[in-house]
Amino acid sequence: MCKKLILSSRYISKIDSFKIDSGKVAFALPSNIALVKYWGKRPVQIPENTSLSFTLSTCRTETSVEFQRKRTKDLGIKFSFLFAGKSKPSFEPKIQTFLERVEPYFSFLKDFDFVINSKNTFPHSSGIASSASGMSALAQCFVAIEAKLGGSFSESEQIEKASFIARLGSGSACRSLEGPITIWGSHPKIEGSSDEFAIKFNLPIHTIFQNYQDTVLLIDKGEKQVSSTVGHGLMHEHPFAKQRFAQANENIEKLSAVLQTGNIDGFIKIVESEALTLHAMMMTSQPYFILMKPKTFEVINHIWSFREKTNIPVCFTLDAGANVHVLYPEKYKDKVLEFIKKKLAGHCQNKQYICDYVGNGAVLL
Ligand code: PMV
């Protein structure tokens, strides 16, 4: 049983009487890829630095939640979980923990039975973290149920609460509710930014960064040797933690300017440095670990020589794993995809890669 920690009374639901006894909600929520990385947190899911991400489109989780008022009231949270239509007991403890943690914010949770049905559009065990899309989809569904039952809030309040709730499931999940770019973590120069939920990057974005492409190269589909939770924890005693958090916050300011002016060289420098710094933190923690694989390095070198030869502004970023996200403006799509097919696909497991691009967050199904 996880300890319930009430962080913000603002999100506690107050429904006097339920408008309906049963119903169903369904949403698709995408994954996101951080350009300025979140790595290091304090309880509960409060980031040590501000992060910024592109919201994706095709890598998404589709979740529906059916709710039925309990005949006899009891004190438990009751749900059944189906993954792509089949029962998946291994996922249940994670959902149970999440629902117990968010229960103070959903006063109706113990009054209903829930049937949760989820599926991912990206290949199972592809090494792509499904926690961002999965947790944000779950959060969005429960906020939508609250609205249907009689919770009164505006559309923007619903998005904020869903982001707040998603954060309690998985930190980076709070950045998936909206798009194309979101920021999480309070920053003195970003108006409205908060540690508790993500906000949309609301300054004008230069056309070069609109509809940006992200081709995800599936380098290694194996289980990560070190989970994100453990990795975040290792930042507590990390010798470079203070400098890293300060650097990330500076990069937020620099990237914010770059996104507005369209300075693509500046973009590449920040984004690639952020990716390598994330992994440098892992390599310099105690205990140290490496999540990149030899093929990750081979791919990075190919990207660098292609960029030098062609002047096409393609760059890479990495998540907490070996997979490589290849980022580029839409107008170079054909040439970059040809390069990926010829030079990079061979480095992927079963030559697999996913063509994604920036999107706008939650979609009602
Ligand atoms: O959301 P978590 O706790 O799984 O942490 C994810 C952190 C990174 O994906 C490595 C970086 C980020 O900002 O998304």
Side-chain angles (χ1 to χ4, degrees):
M1 287 274 279
C2 78
K3 220 168 140 196
K4 281 174 209 153
L5 284 157
I6 296 180
L7 288 174
S8 179
S9 55
R10 190 155 94 243
Y11 301 107
I12 297 174
S13 59
K14 293 173 209 84
I15 305 172
D16 297 328
S17 67
F18 300 128
K19 278 190 186 161
I20 48 174
D21 284 333
S22 64
K24 184 179 176 179
V25 296
F27 286 89
L29 266 293
S31 186
N32 67 72
I33 180 69
L35 305 177
V36 174
K37 309 290 181 183
Y38 146 64
W39 197 242
K41 63 177 171 183
R42 42 181 201 276
V44 173
Q45 309 278 76
I46 298 296
E48 293 283 11
N49 63 262
T50 312
S51 56
L52 180 151
S53 52
F54 274 149
T55 304
L56 297 177
S57 296
T58 43
C59 291
R60 62 185 206 171
T61 300
E62 295 172 2
T63 298
S64 68
V65 181
E66 286 166 65
F67 54 100
Q68 173 81 51
R69 198 156 177 183
K70 285 178 184 168
R71 287 213 182 116
T72 46
K73 202 172 156 76
D74 56 41
L75 293 173
I77 297 174
K78 294 268 169 61
F79 71 92
S80 56
F81 177 70
L82 300 170
F83 188 74
K86 293 191 186 120
S87 88
K88 185 95 181 164
S90 61
F91 280 18
E92 283 168 17
K94 208 169 179 188
I95 297 173
Q96 180 76 32
T97 306
F98 170 69
L99 292 178
E100 282 172 10
R101 183 179 274 183
V102 301
E103 197 265 330
Y105 304 106
F106 294 121
S107 59
F108 58 88
L109 228 51
K110 289 175 176 164
D111 294 295
F112 288 82
D113 287 321
F114 300 99
V115 180
I116 304 167
N117 205 329
S118 254
K119 67 170 189 239
N120 293 335
T121 55
F122 44 92
H124 186 50
S125 318
S126 58
I128 296 189
S130 56
S131 58
S133 55
M135 285 299 172
S136 58
L138 213 48
Q140 174 67 66
C141 284
F142 279 94
V143 170
I145 293 173
E146 182 181 343
K148 278 190 182 245
L149 293 177
S152 63
F153 34 27
S154 66
E155 203 179 315
S156 67
E157 284 166 342
Q158 279 192 45
I159 296 170
E160 185 182 304
K161 179 162 179 178
S163 175
F164 169 85
I165 295 292
R167 187 197 100 231
L168 297 175
S170 163
S172 56
C174 75
R175 297 189 310 239
S176 277
L177 277 301
E178 294 181 281
I181 297 172
T182 60
I183 296 186
W184 170 41
S186 111
H187 191 290
K189 299 278 172 62
I190 310 280
E191 214 189 311
S193 59
S194 168
D195 284 344
E196 296 198 285
F197 54 87
I199 58 165
K200 200 164 149 165
F201 180 82
N202 51 17
L203 297 163
I205 301 168
H206 190 276
T207 46
I208 194 95
F209 295 117
Q210 282 164 19
N211 213 13
Y212 224 67
Q213 305 292 301
D214 177 4
T215 304
V216 193
L217 308 179
L218 307 180
I219 304 286
D220 188 75
K221 303 192 206 170
E223 274 282 303
K224 274 191 278 181
Q225 306 133 277
V226 180
S227 71
S228 291
T229 312
V230 171
H232 283 293
L234 294 175
M235 288 305 282
H236 289 306
E237 302 293 322
H238 200 290
F240 308 137
K242 212 171 143 207
Q243 298 94 314
R244 162 60 198 152
F245 302 143
Q247 177 202 44
N249 288 335
E250 277 163 30
N251 279 343
I252 288 283
E253 263 188 274
K254 287 185 192 156
L255 191 57
S256 164
V258 156
L259 290 168
Q260 293 171 72
T261 57
N263 171 5
I264 197 126
D265 293 334
F267 177 85
I268 291 172
K269 270 192 199 138
I270 298 166
V271 168
E272 291 191 342
S273 161
E274 274 289 321
L276 295 177
T277 303
L278 169 70
H279 285 261
M281 290 300 110
M282 300 172 188
M283 290 158 76
T284 48
S285 61
Q286 281 300 344
Y288 43 82
F289 58 102
I290 303 178
L291 295 184
M292 292 179 287
K293 298 281 178 196
K295 289 197 164 128
T296 311
F297 291 103
E298 285 171 35
V299 160
I300 290 173
N301 278 316
H302 278 304
I303 292 172
W304 283 345
S305 24
F306 176 76
R307 188 165 79 216
E308 206 178 301
K309 253 192 249 150
T310 61
N311 267 327
I312 292 176
V314 54
C315 72
F316 73 88
T317 189
L318 307 165
D319 220 333
N323 294 338
V324 180
H325 289 247
V326 186
L327 302 173
Y328 49 96
E330 192 189 19
K331 66 176 175 185
Y332 299 108
K333 194 173 164 181
D334 293 344
K335 284 191 178 140
V336 177
L337 283 178
E338 197 187 310
F339 156 67
I340 289 174
K341 238 184 248 161
K342 266 200 201 143
K343 288 274 186 196
L344 306 184
H347 297 277
C348 303
Q349 280 201 353
N350 307 324
K351 301 199 166 164
Q352 258 187 307
Y353 57 89
I354 300 170
C355 296
D356 212 335
Y357 48 90
V358 295
N360 291 314
V363 176
L364 177 72
L365 295 175

